[in-house]
Structures are given as C-alpha cells and as structure tokens.
Amino acid sequence: MHSAPDIHPEPPLVIDLDGTLLCSDLLLETGLAFVRAHPARLPCVLLWLTHDQAKLEQALAQATHLDVSRLPFDLEIIELIEAERRKGRRIVLATTSHRTLAERVAEHLQLFDEIIASDADRNLSAERKEDVLVQRFGEGGFDYAGNAHEDLPVWRAARRSYVVNPEHRLERLARQLDNLAAIIRSNRSSLRDWAKALRLHQWAKNLLIFVPLLAAHRLTEVALVGQGLLAFLLFGLCASSVYLLNDLLDLGDDRHHATKRHRPFAAGRLSIRSGLIAIPTLLLAAFAGALWFLPWAFAAVLAAYYALTLAYSLALKRRMVIDVIALASLYTLRIIAGSAALAIPLSFWVLAFSMFMFLSLAIVKRYAELRQAREKGHTDKTRGRGYYPSDLEMLASLGGSSGYVAVMVLALYINDLSATALYHHPEVIWLACPLLLLWITRVWMLTHRGQMHDDPVVFAIRDRTSLVIGALFGLIFWIAT
C-alpha cells in the first residue's frame, strides 16, 4: 500500500532523463561503450535483447562504466529545475533507464528528491510510467517534462506538460494537449552539425584517388577523370560512415578531450539513434555504387579500407606504433583505390613515398595530442591511446626521420628508368626535394611549438605557406614534363 502523496504548494515536477534532461540515450550510450570495450561480445547484446529491454538495460548498466559527469546535459532543463527548486517544488526523475544509471546521474547533479526508474523486474515504459506516476501523485497531481511520442500518455495524465525538443510530428500532437505549458527548444541539430560529423572537410584526403592519374600523365582523359570523380564520391561516403562510427564508439574519450568534446555526437547536438541510421545508409550507398559503376577491384579496396578502419576504431588506435602505421596505411589505400578504379598500375615509388610521408603525418597527429596532455601536467598513459607524454621526444625522432626518408625516395626515383620514361627533364624534379624538406621541417617545428592542428592534412589545406609550397611542387613536376 502506498503512502499518501506529500503536500506541497505546487505538485512535483517530474523530469524524463533520456532526450530531455540528457541530450543522449543511456541505453545506446551503454550499448556502444560495451561494444567498444568488448567487440567480440556483440552477440551477447543481441542475446540480452531477446529477453526484454529491462534485462538488457540491467546487463549493460552492470557491464559498463559511464562517466556521468561528462554526459551532455540540457542546460535549459537544468535551469528550469533549479528555478522550480528555489520555489520549494519537489523534483522527481522518472526514466526508462536502469536505476543504477539514474542514481548516478542524480548523485552527480544533486537536483532530485526522488527517483523512479526501471530495474530488473520492471521496464518503466510510457504506459507503465503513467501508471506509476498516477498511482504515486494522482491524476493531474504532477507536471511532466519529456521529449518523445512515448510520453504522450504521461503528458495527458499530468497537470502541465513541458515538451522538450520535439520532432515536427510530435510538436503538432503536443499542441493539441489541453495542459501544454511550454515547448522548449534548446538542442536543435543543424546541417552544419551533420557536415561536421560527416567530416566533409576530410574528403580532401580522398583527392589521393587522383594520384595514379597524375603520376601516369593521363589527367586530360575526360572519361578517366569522370571515373575518378565517382570514385572520390563513393570513397567519401564510405569514409563518412566510418567517421560516424568512430565518433559513436569514442564518445567517452572524446568528452574528456579539450576539442573533441565539441563534436556533434559527444556534445549531444546529434542523436546517437540518427548516427546509427546514417552509418549503414552511407555504407550501403558507397558499396552499391562501387559494385554497379566501377571495377570490382575498387569495391575490394573499399572493403579493405573499411575493415582496417573498423579494426582501428575498435582496437588498433590503442596500440602503440601500430596505430600510426594503420593511419599511414589508410592514406595509402586511397591511392590504391584510385589505381583500382581507373585501372592504372601503381609504381613501387609512389607506394613507398606515400607510406613514409603519411607515417610522418600520422606521428604528427599523435605528437600534437600528447603535447597537449603534457602541457596539462598529465604523466599517465593518454586516454584511449597507447602513449605516455614522456614519449614525445621519441615520436618526434621517428616522425621527422620518416618524412626525410620520403624525400630520399623521391630523390632516388629521379634516376629511375620509369622517371626518364615519363619526364623529358627528370633532373628538374631535384628542385622538389628541398621544397619537400622545407615543408616537412616546418610542419615538425610548428608541431613542436604547439601550433599544429590535430590533423596535419587539415592544417596543410588551411595553411597559406603549405598551399604555396604545394603549388610550386606541382609547377616543378609540370616543367619536368
């Protein structure tokens, strides 16, 4: 038998958690954290799901540890709660999420007087939540803030309804409620957020697909250029699918990073559910286009790229040295993809040059991250990586050496028979060597000084000096032709 409801000047304000107080979904958060920590145990998640959602939520809550202090909370909802608390109102957290997680959130925020949540025996679904709240506070004896279609029965049973960041169809239904108090729009996603999540600026890396075309001096063949553009687009779709997956698997680490915590998924501006829908959609479009329009070898390279990226996201990125070799290989795979799409053979020199050059740039990326950690006084292994801040000097040595080896490969190529067959004046290419030495040295000096972007390729695209050196580099090869 339940005790009589407490008497207050105002009825309690009941706050939903997922999508309302929190700009995320704890079931999906714990599911992704579990898959990242135990990728081989993905079938376990599917097995738990066959029982019921309450069992799944309990199993995931017990098998993972989310840092709730870093979760993306909705600041407007927190302000609403704090304002009502100052009036003396009782604040209740009512959520479908497991009680273990709800209690940790409540302990962190220190805003709630009572918690109503799911447990191993009860899934607090919409109808069940309505029954529990009406039984606890009476019909119309509480105000309720929620965000989903499933909250409609609860809103109808409440005295006042607060509708948070609704979709268009839900907003139309919400406006028909007689007790609608407010529609709160505090966290709307935008096309800019999607462009950032898809990393459209990173598509510049896919220009490496045209390297075989340039190296073979066949850039004037319109049909091949068209094929290259299609390969560029399809590779971009595949890469964006990978970027989304990487962001979802890295939510915990990104939220502890100085800049990555502002990424759309980590910050809660894009929903995890929308990301999980976009990933297979982009991947299917990429492979369907590759198999339909381009040689099968391109689809095979695309599959290799995806497999390596998936391995990188799940495990390799946390392995010292293996991570940077994997990154360098991903760049080189773009060049191989261009060769497969255009049916242009690659020379040993192109592959050797790209592997050493991109290894140097991959180490630049790691060095920049570690330098930030050292500046903050960290001495332990960096979160989600296999390095310590004390590894900086060794990484600088390895990275600079790798870049200089790339220049040596270019110098050796000048005297090779393949160069004399393609260029009338191969000796002119010697001028490219000091230019490349200048660029590599400058990149490493700026990285050492802490002036390097997290991604050196993005830095090169935006850096005026790099663009000028790149233009002169291209001019030298044109003159040599």
Side-chain angles (χ1 to χ4, degrees):
M1 182 175 178
H2 291 277
S3 60
D6 296 328
I7 298 174
H8 287 277
E10 287 283 326
L13 174 62
V14 181
I15 304 292
D16 180 40
L17 179 55
D18 297 322
T20 303
L21 174 64
L22 181 66
C23 303
S24 188
D25 186 304
L26 287 179
L27 176 60
L28 297 178
E29 290 264 359
T30 52
L32 288 167
F34 181 84
V35 170
R36 179 193 166 156
H38 312 285
R41 295 180 63 190
L42 177 59
C44 293
V45 179
L46 302 178
L47 181 62
W48 294 334
L49 190 57
T50 59
H51 292 83
D52 58 64
Q53 186 167 323
K55 297 288 186 184
L56 174 63
E57 288 175 347
Q58 181 181 25
L60 290 175
Q62 293 174 347
T64 58
H65 180 75
L66 290 181
D67 185 350
V68 296
S69 67
R70 299 286 179 164
L71 290 174
F73 294 103
D74 191 316
L75 297 182
E76 282 199 30
I77 301 301
I78 289 179
E79 288 176 3
L80 171 66
I81 293 172
E82 290 174 339
E84 295 303 311
R85 279 178 63 84
R86 287 193 291 271
K87 297 176 184 177
R89 289 190 74 176
R90 186 174 181 82
I91 309 297
V92 178
L93 179 65
T95 174
T96 307
S97 294
H98 194 267
R99 174 168 289 275
T100 302
L101 297 173
E103 288 175 347
R104 287 171 54 198
V105 169
E107 183 180 359
H108 168 64
L109 294 177
Q110 296 291 308
L111 293 174
F112 299 100
D113 302 294
E114 185 178 345
I115 300 171
I116 301 174
S118 298
D119 52 35
D121 302 316
R122 178 184 68 178
N123 178 29
L124 203 68
S125 61
E127 292 77 10
R128 186 70 59 82
K129 184 186 289 188
E130 176 199 6
D131 293 341
V132 170
L133 291 176
V134 170
Q135 188 177 18
R136 176 73 180 85
F137 303 112
E139 186 82 26
F142 60 94
D143 294 348
Y144 180 72
N147 73 294
H149 287 271
E150 292 76 13
D151 291 317
L152 282 168
V154 189
W155 281 322
R156 293 190 183 104
R159 185 192 69 158
R160 291 176 185 163
S161 299
Y162 295 87
V163 183
V164 182
N165 298 314
E167 298 175 350
H168 295 298
R169 181 169 175 271
L170 178 59
E171 183 173 342
R172 289 198 300 269
L173 294 174
R175 290 189 180 280
Q176 298 173 14
L177 295 170
D178 296 331
N179 60 355
L180 180 64
I183 293 178
I184 301 172
R185 298 184 184 86
S186 55
N187 188 42
R188 285 200 176 271
S189 59
S190 65
L191 290 177
R192 184 176 180 182
D193 290 323
W194 275 109
K196 188 174 182 179
L198 294 171
R199 309 277 216 287
L200 295 184
H201 63 283
Q202 298 278 17
W203 282 31
K205 298 174 182 177
N206 300 336
L207 291 173
L208 291 170
I209 285 173
F210 293 95
V211 167
L213 201 61
L214 287 167
H217 297 179
R218 299 176 66 181
L219 196 58
T220 57
E221 297 182 30
V222 177
L224 282 181
V225 171
Q227 257 184 288
L229 289 172
L230 179 59
F232 173 86
L233 172 63
L234 297 175
F235 207 101
L237 294 176
C238 180
S240 288
S241 171
V242 171
Y243 292 139
L244 294 181
L245 178 61
N246 189 63
D247 280 0
L248 292 183
L249 292 175
D250 278 356
L251 286 173
D253 289 340
D254 285 352
R255 287 171 182 152
H256 284 82
H257 194 275
T259 57
K260 292 179 181 179
R261 61 191 174 90
H262 299 299
R263 286 177 172 176
F265 288 108
R269 293 194 304 277
L270 293 180
S271 71
I272 294 176
R273 194 177 304 275
S274 65
L276 292 174
I277 293 172
I279 288 168
T281 302
L282 293 171
L283 198 60
L284 180 62
F287 278 95
L291 292 169
W292 189 265
F293 296 109
L294 293 172
W296 68 267
F298 175 77
V301 177
L302 202 60
Y305 170 85
Y306 186 79
L308 180 56
T309 309
L310 189 61
Y312 176 80
S313 298
L314 292 174
L316 301 185
K317 71 191 307 178
R318 295 184 289 278
R319 300 289 185 268
M320 179 185 65
V321 180
I322 294 176
D323 64 332
V324 289
I325 293 175
L327 282 176
S329 300
L330 290 172
Y331 282 106
T332 304
L333 275 172
R334 287 172 165 88
I335 298 176
I336 297 173
S339 172
L342 304 172
I344 297 175
L346 279 176
S347 71
F348 156 82
W349 299 105
V350 171
L351 292 175
F353 176 84
S354 65
M355 197 63 199
F356 283 112
M357 175 58 68
F358 292 123
L359 178 60
S360 180
L361 296 182
I363 297 176
V364 163
K365 185 179 177 70
R366 283 294 169 269
Y367 186 100
E369 293 174 351
L370 283 175
R371 191 182 187 283
Q372 288 182 359
R374 177 186 276 186
E375 287 180 344
K376 293 179 180 179
H378 297 167
T379 57
D380 297 332
K381 184 184 291 186
T382 52
R383 186 182 177 97
R385 304 297 183 194
Y387 301 93
Y388 294 86
S390 58
D391 294 330
L392 276 177
E393 288 74 21
M394 178 56 72
L395 282 177
S397 175
L398 295 173
S401 299
S402 181
Y404 284 4
V405 169
V407 179
M408 186 179 70
V409 170
L410 176 61
L412 292 173
Y413 166 72
I414 296 169
N415 291 325
D416 189 73
L417 291 176
S418 57
T420 57
L422 284 171
Y423 297 92
H424 290 97
H425 307 287
E427 64 278 2
V428 176
I429 300 176
W430 277 107
L431 296 174
C433 293
L435 273 179
L436 194 56
L437 285 170
L438 169 63
W439 186 76
I440 291 169
T441 304
R442 180 173 181 270
V443 163
W444 271 103
M445 287 298 294
L446 292 177
T447 305
H448 176 71
R449 295 173 181 175
Q451 300 173 16
M452 176 55 61
H453 187 278
D454 284 344
D455 192 323
V457 176
V458 174
F459 163 80
I461 294 171
R462 298 174 179 174
D463 177 54
R464 183 177 300 177
T465 302
S466 297
L467 293 175
V468 170
I469 291 175
L472 292 174
F473 196 81
L475 179 63
I476 287 170
F477 274 84
W478 179 75
I479 293 172
T481 305

